[in-house]
Amino acid sequence: MGTTLLRKAMSEFYFRFGALQDSVTEPGIHFRQAFVTTTKSVLIRPEELRMPAVEVVTKDGIEIRFNKIGVLSRTQKDKVIPMMKKFGGDFKKVLIYDRIKEDLRIFCASKTIDEVYNEQFPQIVDAVKSDVEAQIKRLGENGVEILNLVIPKPDIPQDIAQNYKQVKVQWTEQLVAKQQKVTEEIKKKLELLKAVADAERQKEVLEITILQKSLKAKVKGTSPR
């Protein structure tokens, strides 16, 4: 007779003579018949895993690598036995991790390096996650759930990375130059407005001076002799 100590957030499934049984045990101490009954423990609470590097090829033939892909997932206890019967004990690998790898390869195969690394990179997580969830629903009856998916920017060849760095520097320089041009134009407009305002003020002063002289002349011309 053998014993098993099952920790919290774990469920245990039994194999008798290699055949998966329909019973499931909860956390605690359990007894089983040695050499006849084997067990498989499954984590039910959310589990975070960092996937191995995924290598893909873009539409234009550039080999890139996605490192440190993070997956937070959760298993539905009542769906474990059907999934184990269909996919084996490593059902998460089949339903989640292998699907993520395949979807990344499909996504990148239809995109150029610039689209993957730059233009459409923000769309990768949603595209991959949506497709994997659809396959989990179809194949695994929603027995596992992806709570969060993190896909960092891929590692790209050094020469291409250097080009992107130069482009970013040039873009920054262009942005600064554009801002300087806008600032200069604003400065010129302000100077023009100031010059117009000064001219208007001088004109008004001149008109007032002429009016004063005219009034003085009239007063002088009408005074008794």
Side-chain angles (χ1 to χ4, degrees), residues 52-70:
V54 178
E55 296 182 351
V56 304
V57 180
T58 62
K59 181 180 179 180
D60 42 0
I62 306 300
E63 295 182 2
I64 60 178
R65 174 183 293 183
F66 289 89
N67 291 307
K68 300 180 180 179
I69 298 174

Side-chain angles (χ1 to χ4, degrees), residues 191-205:
E191 290 175 350
L192 178 60
L193 290 174
K194 183 176 181 297
V196 171
D198 290 342
E200 290 290 337
R201 186 166 54 254
Q202 291 176 2
K203 180 181 176 182
E204 291 174 358
V205 171

Side-chain angles (χ1 to χ4, degrees), residues 117 156-169:
Y117 190 76
I156 61 177
Q158 188 174 0
D159 56 338
I160 297 178
Q162 185 63 30
N163 289 339
Y164 273 108
K165 184 177 180 180
Q166 291 175 355
V167 168
K168 188 173 182 180
V169 170

